[in-house]
Amino acid sequence: MNLALAWSDAATAAQLFAVDPVGTGVLLRSRAGPVRDRWLTMLRAALPPTDAHKHLPLHIAEGRLLGGLDLSATLITGRPVAERGLLAEADGGVLVLAMAERMPSSTTVHVTAAMDSHETLIERDGLSLRMPARFGVIALDEGLEDEFAPAALRDRLAFHLDLDRFAFRDTEEFDITASDIDTARARLPSIRATDEQIEAVCTAAAAMGIISLRAPLLAIRAARAAAALSGHSEIDKEDISLAARLVLAPRALYFPQPEQPDQSEPPPPEPPPPPEDNSNDNQDQEQQTPDFDKALEEVILAAAKAAIPDDVLASLRASSGRSRARSSGKAGELQKSNKRGRPTGTLRGELRAGAKLSVIETLRAAAPWQPLRRREAAASGRDSAQPEILIRKDDFRIARFKMRTETTTIFVVDASGSAALHRLAEAKGAVELLLADCYVRRDQVSMIAFRGEIAEILLPPTRSLTRAKRSLAGLPGGGGTPLAAGLDAAFALADSIRRKGQTPTVIMLTDGRANIARDGAPGRPKAEEDALASARQLRAANINAVLIDMSPRPGPQGEKIAKEMGARYLPLPYANATVLSQAVLASTQ
Amino acid sequence: MAIVFPFSAIVGQDEMKLALLIAAVDPKVGGVLAFGDRGAGKSTAVRALAALLPKMKVVVGCRYNCDPEHPERFCEDCKEKQAAGKLKTVQAPVPVVDLPLGATEDRVVGALDLERALARGEKAFEPGLLARAHRGFLYIDEANLLEDHLVDLLLDVAASGENVVEREGLSVRHPARFVLVGTGNPEEGELRPQLLDRFGMSVEVKTPDDLPSRMEVVRRRDAFENDPAGFVASWTKEEAKLRKKITTARERLPEVTVSNAALERAATLCMTLGTDGLRGELTLMRAARALAAIEHAKTVTDDHLKRIAPSALRHRLRRNPLDDAGSTVRVDRAIAEVFG
């Protein structure tokens, strides 16, 4: 699909969203820049000017997001006055999420709950309220490569647009007027999808490996909006194709091959990953149910396929969607660990040694009760010695700090050569043991493997055993030893973890026999030189590290690398998962 | 109150629906945890349950939903009313109370009534969510993201069935027995083991992967969104049938017998699985009894035990990270071993 057409689709997505925004939205994957601004300008033009347009900053406090007691109004009027939160303020309009890729799950969960129920439920500060919150969401996702907005949010956003494909000169400003949108909004309720259309959309979604059932529902909504916008009285093929391009295509995990694929053609560099649960079922289903409207379904598939850039399509075919599938749910996890940036708030509590009183919050807590306390004090005859403000123990608000910084243990596993499978299996076992043990300590675990020419993050930092198991199923092994690449990847990850305010620990499993240089060229001397240089980065950054030499005959190479890394050197020939996890625990405490 | 999607119109998800029905028939089973895929209808099912439940008798004007049939558990107000002979009862809907993640502690346990304090300078207790949920359900969406200090509160109250508030010189205790229902996505993080243990049953929710059910889900959802009231009306009959099923099952429950053989089977199963403590066995028995009552059986059979064992036991297994099999598979294996 050429860029001009793609841009026109992106503009249409803005209109479709404007027609039917409540509870869904647009994922705008793009750097900040003129292209994104142009798109946002078009959207603004499409939305009726009366609609609310609210921005949700990344680190919004929970109280501001949900609402709560309006203290000043409460004190003036002498009765509890609620203050609307941002979610309620966005009612009837649009909520723009800035930097959605970094949104903490504590914020995401409130936004998605409001999107689902169209209201916010407040149980705070002595208030119990429901407020309408019917809004659409624009999520600005500036994530690089594998950084994504939280999966729970993406799932609910109908349109996923990738604007980084466009240069500013590729884009033109379409003329969108709010009155068109108004007309379409009025027409929308009378437009229904037929059974055949629903069937075709479901079948096509299943054929593309889309598991969530929200996707076909959102596609149908989009098709209805498209029909309303173009003045049709019912949904036609054009509308469905448009919905397929905008809603289904970006979610596709794979495409059914038109012909029997030639398996031998690009030799797969590694054993294919275990197929997604659904892929076979769906294809079977498809064959079992030939009486569906094949034609329409084909139209949908063709439309979706046309909307995907060629290179992405090629990778989808090659990987059976692995690259996309793996990223799902990542952002949620990533954000979850990001505890430092988000205001952790205060908690009612006692002043004990070490606790820090939050004076402002304490005063806020005490303020509404002053008249009552004054009256009580007067009644008990202590009037004369009254202080200005009567503060009781119950008012104390303790600033919440994390008791202990989180530790993220990064396993860096040498997956090269013959011992690879053994090492990988034991490292995987150790990861799972640590996760099982460490719940209470709230530690996270991550895993990097290096082999061939590159290092790869197999498991991004996570606390979830479920995720670890899934990501670590079917690990590839064999090939050369790009030790430098492994150390570089470990350093990069450790550094990003540290910047989030957590403590990284690197556990390196290797025999230290590097034979691939940083640039991917084979050759021992250069490879070793590069590895030592990479190792020094870790030492310079003072990152806690352990190098476990699991080769049958631990040699001097491993020890040398360990020294340059500033790591503890542990020769553990034939170590198993239990020994490993104990060694890790011993070295992180 | 917004119109909710009818329970009987939920396609598939039989394990989750059965677990919720069992909890509705016998609250002593102790709650349901539904973990699984996004968009599979977990929250929908719980919200639908609220509309489905048969009404219950409560004391008129009681803030704690006191049960007129159990005077020994009355709150202070109801005791006074009873002494004065002014106790009136009324049929009220069973509460299904949302515990939103952003809730503050004072709203959960209850605190001084701010309005009365400000306007009249009176000290009065304003009951919180726990009081509202008494004799009903307390629902936590995304239970794995609940703040630790709220989890601690819940654990305490769920264990004792009583909420104790000491604040501002006010001392209140009131009954708070509720069925805990939690949903979540395991990819967002694990649940604290102590909280996990409080749930009687745990079910795994998967998006249906066969095309006909997927289409049916989308079709019904689409129909509901286009015309909520009309859709609900078209399911009234089914809902009434299901409601009746709950009511009759409740009546039958005391008559369902459990043979010694069944007790032994349950015990052997728990031993084989190495579940901690007696809670697993108890829950398994209770759930099996409720299932038997739902299905009009007079005694608990092996079949009942077999069918309910995965829900009752899968979250009580000791973790064995080196065993790659999921807990469901392990329970199934043990069932095959014990029941032959």
Side-chain angles (χ1 to χ4, degrees):
Chain A
M1 169 173 266
N2 70 40
L3 277 177
L5 217 57
W7 175 254
S8 132
D9 267 3
T12 314
Q15 288 175 287
L16 297 185
F17 168 69
V19 171
D20 186 14
V22 177
T24 178
V26 185
L27 178 74
L28 218 52
R29 200 165 161 81
S30 162
R31 309 269 185 90
V35 177
R36 190 175 86 178
D37 291 345
R38 173 159 276 181
W39 190 91
L40 288 170
T41 314
M42 287 197 297
L43 177 72
R44 278 222 112 150
L47 289 167
T50 46
D51 283 8
H53 202 96
K54 293 284 169 188
H55 280 262
L56 190 150
L58 186 57
H59 293 302
I60 187 168
E62 207 165 44
R64 180 69 196 100
L65 185 66
L66 296 170
L69 191 71
D70 182 337
L71 194 61
S72 49
T74 299
L75 292 179
I76 291 166
T77 57
R79 62 184 174 78
V81 177
E83 179 183 38
R84 287 204 300 171
L86 196 67
L87 293 175
E89 282 175 5
D91 181 46
V94 171
L95 187 65
V96 181
L97 315 179
M99 288 200 278
E101 80 282 2
R102 294 180 51 80
M103 200 157 86
S105 50
S106 52
T107 306
T108 313
V109 79
H110 296 306
V111 175
T112 54
M115 287 172 78
D116 287 350
S117 60
H118 300 171
E119 62 180 7
T120 53
L121 184 58
I122 299 151
E123 297 287 352
R124 296 174 69 84
D125 311 336
L127 295 166
S128 174
L129 296 166
R130 276 172 197 277
M131 291 195 205
R134 303 170 57 82
F135 57 79
V137 168
I138 302 290
L140 306 178
D141 179 345
E142 294 174 35
L144 304 173
E145 314 224 323
D146 53 357
E147 240 182 338
F148 286 99
L153 183 67
R154 279 185 290 153
D155 194 36
R156 287 166 172 84
L157 300 177
F159 309 104
H160 295 189
L161 303 178
D162 184 353
L163 298 188
D164 279 338
R165 292 155 66 193
F166 305 106
F168 189 59
R169 62 186 143 75
D170 298 331
T171 64
E172 57 175 305
E173 194 143 342
F174 290 96
D175 195 23
I176 302 174
T177 56
S179 65
D180 291 347
I181 303 293
D182 270 340
T183 324
R185 280 187 182 180
R187 206 178 283 136
L188 189 65
S190 64
I191 297 170
R192 297 282 157 87
T194 65
D195 256 15
E196 291 73 43
Q197 285 164 339
I198 292 178
E199 277 174 13
V201 169
C202 288
T203 315
M208 285 183 247
I210 300 173
I211 295 166
S212 168
L213 281 168
R214 284 204 180 94
L217 273 165
L218 290 171
I220 289 164
R221 267 181 80 173
R224 289 177 58 208
L229 194 64
S230 48
H232 304 155
S233 55
E234 51 194 41
I235 301 173
D236 68 11
K237 264 186 195 164
E238 284 295 299
D239 305 323
I240 294 248
S241 304
L242 185 64
R245 292 204 299 270
L246 289 172
V247 181
L248 296 182
R251 293 172 154 87
L253 290 184
Y254 46 75
F255 268 95
Q257 312 280 10
E259 288 107 53
Q260 207 51 32
D262 189 1
Q263 287 295 353
S264 64
E265 191 201 85
E270 54 196 58
E276 290 278 318
D277 289 347
N278 290 26
S279 59
N280 294 335
D281 295 359
N282 292 334
Q283 270 147 19
D284 289 350
Q285 280 300 335
E286 206 187 326
Q287 281 149 15
Q288 283 161 17
T289 48
D291 51 326
F292 290 146
D293 188 352
K294 270 281 178 215
L296 186 54
E297 179 205 322
E298 306 272 291
V299 170
I300 297 175
L301 281 175
K305 201 185 286 178
I308 300 182
D310 290 344
D311 51 333
V312 179
L313 192 63
S315 77
L316 285 185
R317 285 215 171 112
S319 67
S320 346
R322 191 172 175 214
S323 56
R324 280 197 179 187
R326 189 189 283 167
S327 61
S328 86
K330 149 135 197 216
E333 215 50 54
L334 200 95
Q335 297 310 333
K336 204 167 160 40
S337 60
N338 187 4
K339 285 260 172 82
R340 188 196 222 173
R342 118 180 133 86
T344 44
T346 54
L347 202 61
R348 188 165 73 94
E350 278 168 45
L351 273 183
R352 280 169 309 208
K356 185 165 182 279
L357 185 74
S358 164
V359 178
I360 292 177
E361 286 303 316
T362 302
L363 290 176
R364 272 180 63 97
W369 310 107
Q370 295 305 310
L372 176 69
R373 288 177 187 163
R374 231 167 266 289
R375 190 174 311 183
E376 271 186 356
S380 61
R382 283 176 290 151
D383 208 4
S384 53
Q386 259 189 44
E388 287 291 314
I389 304 171
L390 298 168
I391 294 191
R392 302 279 154 82
K393 212 168 92 187
D394 281 327
D395 302 328
F396 289 158
R397 293 291 183 276
I398 307 296
R400 246 190 305 167
F401 289 109
K402 276 188 291 149
M403 299 307 284
R404 192 181 73 83
T405 52
E406 288 177 38
T407 303
T408 302
T409 307
I410 308 168
F411 283 86
V412 189
V413 184
D414 181 348
S416 67
S418 54
L421 289 179
H422 169 67
R423 265 195 302 260
L424 279 168
E426 298 305 348
K428 180 184 163 205
V431 165
E432 290 173 2
L433 268 177
L434 281 174
L435 278 176
D437 279 354
C438 291
Y439 181 84
V440 183
R441 306 183 351 154
R442 298 230 154 201
D443 284 351
Q444 301 204 29
V445 176
S446 167
M447 185 147 144
I448 295 174
F450 57 97
R451 68 186 197 96
E453 286 163 16
I454 51 157
E456 192 185 1
I457 298 180
L458 293 178
L459 178 69
T462 183
R463 199 178 287 146
S464 160
L465 195 59
T466 321
R467 242 175 92 63
K469 284 199 161 160
R470 189 188 298 172
S471 301
L472 299 183
L475 295 177
T481 313
L483 190 52
L487 286 163
D488 286 346
F491 173 72
L493 185 60
D495 191 48
S496 78
I497 287 166
R498 183 176 279 178
R499 270 188 273 122
K500 283 180 205 151
Q502 301 164 359
T503 312
T505 297
V506 173
I507 309 288
M508 188 99 188
L509 296 165
T510 180
D511 54 11
R513 295 184 177 94
N515 59 16
I516 305 283
R518 190 180 275 149
D519 57 7
R524 225 167 252 285
K526 180 80 172 78
E528 277 171 11
E529 195 183 304
D530 280 359
L532 291 175
S534 300
R536 268 175 230 126
Q537 286 181 309
L538 284 153
R539 190 180 58 188
N542 207 7
I543 289 166
N544 185 21
V546 181
L547 189 141
I548 299 176
D549 193 337
M550 284 173 71
S551 59
R553 280 168 288 111
Q557 292 101 325
E559 210 168 342
K560 196 167 164 199
I561 297 278
K563 201 169 150 235
E564 290 299 325
M565 275 168 80
R568 227 153 57 87
Y569 177 69
L570 269 181
L572 287 174
Y574 304 114
N576 62 19
T578 319
V579 174
L580 272 180
S581 69
Q582 278 160 2
V584 171
L585 282 181
S587 60
T588 51
Q589 270 157 13
Chain B
M1 187 69 196
I3 299 176
V4 295
F5 194 85
F7 193 85
S8 39
I10 295 169
V11 180
Q13 308 300 2
D14 295 330
E15 198 194 5
M16 173 171 59
K17 285 196 284 190
L18 183 63
L20 288 172
L21 284 184
I22 287 176
V25 169
D26 184 3
K28 290 204 190 82
V29 170
V32 180
L33 178 70
F35 251 43
D37 292 343
R38 275 177 255 284
K42 295 172 302 243
S43 314
T44 309
V46 181
R47 298 194 194 286
L49 185 72
L52 178 71
L53 292 167
K55 292 192 170 177
M56 63 180 191
K57 261 191 197 164
V58 295
V59 174
V60 174
C62 177
R63 298 190 296 176
Y64 309 106
N65 303 327
C66 275
D67 184 353
E69 278 160 29
H70 288 280
E72 75 280 3
R73 292 193 203 145
F74 275 175
C75 64
E76 297 303 319
D77 284 358
C78 289
K79 277 182 193 152
E80 276 172 31
K81 275 188 203 158
Q82 193 186 29
K86 281 191 210 152
L87 203 73
K88 279 190 208 145
T89 66
V90 69
Q91 294 278 338
V94 173
V96 176
V97 176
D98 255 297
L99 173 57
L101 289 186
T104 52
E105 190 190 324
D106 60 311
R107 282 303 308 144
V108 177
V109 296
L112 274 191
D113 185 336
L114 186 59
E115 175 136 36
R116 282 168 74 178
L118 282 173
R120 284 179 266 165
E122 287 172 8
K123 263 191 193 176
F125 180 65
E126 166 79 11
L129 297 176
L130 295 179
R132 230 194 280 161
H134 179 50
R135 297 180 64 208
F137 291 72
L138 187 69
Y139 173 46
I140 315 166
D141 193 8
E142 310 282 357
N144 41 351
L145 299 180
L146 193 66
E147 295 257 18
D148 279 352
H149 68 277
L150 289 182
V151 172
D152 295 341
L153 273 173
L154 282 183
L155 291 180
D156 192 29
V157 177
S160 63
E162 194 178 45
N163 181 32
V164 182
V165 186
E166 296 285 347
R167 258 197 111 154
E168 292 260 349
L170 203 73
S171 176
V172 177
R173 57 174 56 213
H174 66 80
R177 289 171 205 282
F178 47 82
V179 178
L180 206 55
V181 179
T183 55
N185 183 312
E187 292 203 355
E188 310 272 353
E190 312 262 318
L191 209 63
R192 246 167 82 180
Q194 296 89 328
L195 184 59
L196 199 60
D197 191 48
R198 290 288 189 276
F199 290 97
M201 287 173 287
S202 127
V203 294
E204 286 173 359
V205 184
K206 285 210 168 63
T207 312
D209 51 12
D210 64 303
L211 198 56
S213 3
R214 288 175 67 92
M215 283 189 317
E216 196 52 35
V217 173
V218 173
R219 206 178 285 138
R220 287 187 191 174
R221 192 76 220 180
D222 186 57
F224 172 74
E225 274 166 19
N226 287 333
D227 176 16
F231 185 80
V232 170
S234 66
W235 284 89
T236 335
K237 231 182 180 167
E238 291 292 318
E239 290 282 285
K241 234 158 88 184
L242 203 54
R243 194 172 295 127
K244 179 89 180 129
K245 207 167 167 179
I246 297 176
T247 325
T248 44
R250 279 185 188 160
E251 287 160 7
R252 281 163 188 278
L253 190 63
E255 284 141 37
V256 177
T257 57
V258 184
S259 67
N260 279 336
L263 280 175
E264 222 177 286
R265 292 271 205 194
T268 324
L269 187 61
C270 291
M271 250 155 59
T272 316
L273 282 166
T275 55
D276 297 331
L278 277 173
R279 213 194 280 263
E281 260 172 82
L282 262 172
T283 313
L284 180 59
M285 269 341 296
R286 283 221 168 99
R289 270 183 64 189
L291 177 60
I294 291 174
E295 298 187 342
H296 293 208
K298 291 204 167 64
T299 55
V300 171
T301 64
D302 279 2
D303 180 56
H304 294 135
L305 285 175
K306 265 199 292 207
R307 273 159 53 205
I308 208 67
S311 310
L313 299 179
R314 69 159 65 87
H315 56 303
R316 300 175 198 279
L317 309 188
R318 264 207 212 115
R319 249 189 200 160
N320 179 1
L322 299 184
D323 187 348
D324 257 350
S327 37
T328 310
V329 179
R330 284 167 67 194
V331 176
D332 287 345
R333 255 190 270 163
I335 291 174
E337 203 176 301
V338 173
F339 293 92

